[in-house]
């Protein structure tokens, strides 16, 4: 799988897991699933960064996400 897809999927999972963690803490529940999702997101992004030749720069990330979305729509 393309590392751009892995980075985008990891960022999307991480984005959705943060509100779930906050909700669990607010309701005094343990954030088991949301923390597991966050760890999965971090692992996906770390693997994508390590597998991509030369790594990713911070300025490249918006272009990567837009290109993945454009590739899915196309």
């Amino acid at each position: 799988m393309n590392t751009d897809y892995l980075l985008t999927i990891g960022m999307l999972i991480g984005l959705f897991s943060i509100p779930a963690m906050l909700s669990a803490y607010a309701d005094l529940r343990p954030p088991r699933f949301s923390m597991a999702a966050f760890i999965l997101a971090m692992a996906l992004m770390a693997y994508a960064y390590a597998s991509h030749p030369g790594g990713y720069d911070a300025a490249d990330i918006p272009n990567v996400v837009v290109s993945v979305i454009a590739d899915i729509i196309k």
Side-chain angles (χ1 to χ4, degrees):
M1 182 177 260
N2 193 355
T3 57
D4 294 347
Y5 283 96
L6 291 175
L7 182 70
T8 305
I9 291 168
M11 289 180 14
L12 186 66
I13 292 172
L15 181 71
F16 287 135
S17 68
I18 292 173
M21 281 190 286
L22 293 175
S23 174
Y25 283 126
D27 293 339
L28 300 174
R29 295 180 285 120
R32 290 184 186 107
F33 180 73
S34 56
M35 191 60 83
F38 187 75
I39 291 170
L40 174 70
M42 291 299 119
L44 280 172
M45 289 190 289
Y47 179 73
Y49 180 78
S51 297
H52 191 268
Y56 288 102
D57 290 334
D60 294 338
I61 292 175
N63 294 334
V64 168
V65 171
V66 169
S67 69
V68 167
I69 292 170
D71 193 37
I72 291 172
I73 291 174
K74 181 182 161 187

